[in-house]
Amino acid sequence: MKKIIIISIFLCLMFLVSCSKSTSSITTTNSNRTTENSFKEFTITIFSDVHYGTHNYNNFTCTEGLTKLGKIINETPKSKFYINLGDFIDNMNKSFTLLDEAISYLDTQDIAIFNNNYSSIEENKRIMYYTIGNHETNTIDKSSMSKYIPYIDGVGQVFYFKYEGVLFVAIDANYSYDTISDKMEDMYCTKFSMPQEEFDWFKDVIDKNLNDKVNELVILSHIPVKDIDQKVIWPYIDYVTENYPDHHITMFDGHIHTRQYNNETNDDNESTFTEYTLPAVTTTENYEYYNVTFKNGQVSNVEMVLNNAPLE
């Protein structure tokens, strides 16, 4: 399969003017796939790298992390659910204190975390799906975070769910590039990887769920493609494009605090894989997030929102 990667930073698309909020949108035409199924239109909100913490450094406003998150939640009352792409906390004391505070704050906003106790979530609360980030795994053992993020021993903090014709799959790339270890002391590295056991899990999820009742696969990861060991990430993408060519793949990730867009096409110049890398919520006094709309089980519009209003 011919791979064409186009990477562009969307700074030129954002209207950075002296107003409280600016947006730009990408209307997508991922495929011409049609089915007999009728799926409802819905919108979700995605954000990354809140870095809630007790101190600020460089251009990180960590102490304002939850305040910014509250603004995002208040500005998106019609979002069906939220996706948190990791680095929710900036944890320097290697304890659960900050994470517990962040999760408790969500409860005050009537937001519930999707976890192993999902069936007990109150009906009046919207769901937040939380993927693991390196700032969590650098400081807290993965298995001990299972009360907040689903965990499979030997595989990682991974999960999947289906909604209105879309299969969402969260992968965990927080493994040492050199040793494929996820121990806290091994996690400071510039590239990340994944064990074979996680790839096997991924293939099993795809084979059992990517069928004629699903129009699109959405992969969620904290670490973007450019920072994952290339020998292990491309087999994930290739497995789907080669075995399920009628299904488009969209990936949302964060980590690098820079807005980027990648698109891969096949030999017929049809888009097969699209990647959106989100900027950090915590960087500078502003905060950014994406509102993603799905129609007929496919991504139809990605709205990038920048709010530069003063925090109160």
Side-chain angles (χ1 to χ4, degrees):
M1 179 176 58
K2 179 181 179 182
K3 290 179 180 175
I4 303 174
I5 304 297
I6 303 172
I7 304 177
S8 59
I9 300 177
F10 278 109
L11 294 176
C12 60
L13 296 178
M14 300 301 293
F15 307 115
L16 300 180
V17 294
S18 57
C19 59
S20 63
K21 184 190 295 185
S22 59
T23 66
S24 65
S25 297
I26 300 174
T27 300
T28 64
T29 53
N30 289 337
S31 74
N32 295 319
R33 175 175 169 80
T34 58
T35 69
E36 296 179 356
N37 302 298
S38 178
F39 300 112
K40 295 178 181 178
E41 178 179 334
F42 67 98
T43 297
I44 65 175
T45 295
I46 307 178
F47 61 89
S48 186
D49 295 88
V50 172
H51 283 274
Y52 169 62
T54 57
H55 66 291
N56 300 322
Y57 59 97
N58 298 332
N59 63 344
F60 285 17
T61 54
C62 301
T63 56
E64 303 290 348
L66 295 186
T67 301
K68 292 181 177 182
L69 178 57
K71 295 280 190 179
I72 292 172
I73 293 171
N74 290 334
E75 291 170 10
T76 54
K78 295 183 179 180
S79 289
K80 185 61 64 174
F81 53 83
Y82 296 88
I83 292 177
N84 175 352
L85 291 173
D87 280 5
F88 197 13
I89 56 173
D90 201 278
N91 195 7
M92 303 304 293
N93 58 4
K94 297 188 178 183
S95 74
F96 260 102
T97 302
L98 286 174
L99 190 55
D100 286 338
E101 289 177 3
I103 300 299
S104 296
Y105 177 79
L106 292 177
D107 190 58
T108 68
Q109 303 296 308
D110 289 329
I111 302 292
I113 285 287
F114 174 85
N115 57 24
N116 294 327
N117 297 317
Y118 175 71
S119 60
S120 64
I121 291 177
E122 299 172 22
E123 291 185 0
N124 64 324
K125 291 188 175 183
R126 287 184 290 174
I127 305 300
M128 180 174 290
Y129 298 91
Y130 179 11
T131 66
I132 192 70
N134 59 294
H135 274 255
E136 287 91 353
T137 58
N138 284 346
T139 56
I140 305 175
D141 180 71
K142 283 185 181 181
S143 61
S144 65
M145 285 187 282
S146 60
K147 64 179 180 178
Y148 295 139
I149 308 175
Y151 174 79
I152 300 176
D153 188 33
V155 176
Q157 281 175 304
V158 295
F159 58 88
Y160 72 93
F161 63 97
K162 289 186 286 187
Y163 190 82
E164 291 295 339
V166 184
L167 173 62
F168 294 85
V169 180
I171 61 175
D172 179 1
N174 296 281
Y175 286 84
S176 168
Y177 176 77
D178 297 320
T179 65
I180 320 298
S181 166
D182 61 355
K183 294 181 179 179
M184 287 186 294
E185 59 268 24
D186 296 331
M187 289 305 300
Y188 288 94
C189 49
T190 57
K191 293 285 184 182
F192 294 79
S193 192
M194 292 171 282
Q196 179 64 39
E197 290 81 0
E198 185 174 350
F199 186 34
D200 293 340
W201 172 86
F202 177 83
K203 290 189 293 184
D204 185 62
V205 169
I206 295 302
D207 291 341
K208 291 179 178 178
N209 294 278
L210 203 58
N211 50 42
D212 59 2
K213 295 182 180 180
V214 171
N215 277 1
E216 181 155 357
L217 168 65
V218 173
I219 298 177
L220 309 172
S221 173
H222 176 67
I223 311 295
V225 165
K226 70 183 294 291
D227 274 356
I228 301 177
D229 180 359
Q230 298 297 297
K231 292 182 294 185
V232 300
I233 186 57
W234 280 115
Y236 279 66
I237 308 305
D238 290 344
Y239 183 79
V240 179
T241 57
E242 292 171 5
N243 293 282
Y244 302 90
D246 290 339
H247 291 78
H248 183 269
I249 309 169
T250 299
M251 184 169 179
F252 293 97
D253 47 51
H255 180 59
I256 62 174
H257 296 199
T258 300
R259 188 184 308 105
Q260 290 188 350
Y261 171 81
N262 304 338
N263 188 56
E264 177 187 342
T265 60
N266 59 21
D267 292 329
D268 296 323
N269 203 33
E270 295 176 341
S271 179
T272 59
F273 170 67
T274 305
E275 178 187 22
Y276 297 89
T277 301
L278 277 71
V281 169
T282 193
T283 305
T284 76
E285 294 301 319
N286 307 321
Y287 56 94
E288 300 183 56
Y289 58 94
Y290 287 8
N291 290 324
V292 183
T293 299
F294 295 80
K295 291 182 179 180
N296 194 32
Q298 296 176 306
V299 175
S300 65
N301 188 71
V302 178
E303 178 192 40
M304 298 170 286
V305 181
L306 166 65
N307 197 318
N308 55 6
L311 295 176
E312 297 178 356

